Amino acid sequence: MALQIAPSILAADFARLADEAAAVPNADWLHVDVMDNHFVPNLTLGMPVVEALAKATDKPLDCHLMIEHPDRWAPGYADAGASSITFHIEACRAPILTAREIRAKGARAAMALRPATPIEPYEDMLSEFDMILIMTIEPGFGGQQLLDACVPKIRRTRELLDKHGLDVWIEIDGGVSAYTIERCAEAGADVFVAGSAVFNADDPSLVVDNLRSLAERARA
């Protein structure tokens, strides 16, 4: 598959979200971080903002739910306009059922793992997902440095997916920049979430092109 760049609006100007989305026309996705101040110690935005953003851009929305009780809330984000919905396995009581409910609504379903959560216990349910999100920072705040200890987990996840012949994407989120993206791509990541590196730049679209080029070179 083609490698994909998903700028995170967590680093954008929330008062100008439509304009910020328009600043990255070459992005594959817009990554939307939903935080509830319970699962993570931060509070961002929710379903009404996702619904408004979906009307303001033609970019597909990749919603990352860092919330408690995703079983209850996740399917509703598909109704709000999200094309991909990620929930944390640590917070979900019925992950397979939740993934199937999301897919039944026409959205992609993804499972997220915090840095200390291993992938191996979930090997038998990988086929229920369209994507695995490996957090490369502790979730909650942008601008952190990528945790190098998470890179081997990317590689192990790729090996498990290949072992079972699964067409499941690997997404990474946290500390993605021109200095880190190559080793993550080489380890097997497909989708790269970048927030500060993109929206803090003078030319966000140029950064998206550069990140894609670096990832493709490393994968090749």
Side-chain angles (χ1 to χ4, degrees), residues 9 11-23 30 49 53 56 199 201 204:
I9 66 167
D13 183 348
F14 278 19
R16 303 174 50 253
L17 284 184
D19 292 336
E20 295 282 66
L30 286 177
V49 176
L53 184 59
F199 287 112

Side-chain angles (χ1 to χ4, degrees), residues 123-136:
E123 178 178 357
D124 291 342
M125 67 172 69
L126 293 176
S127 62
E128 298 287 344
F129 295 92
D130 300 292
M131 185 168 71
I132 308 300
L133 169 55
I134 296 175
M135 291 299 301
T136 44

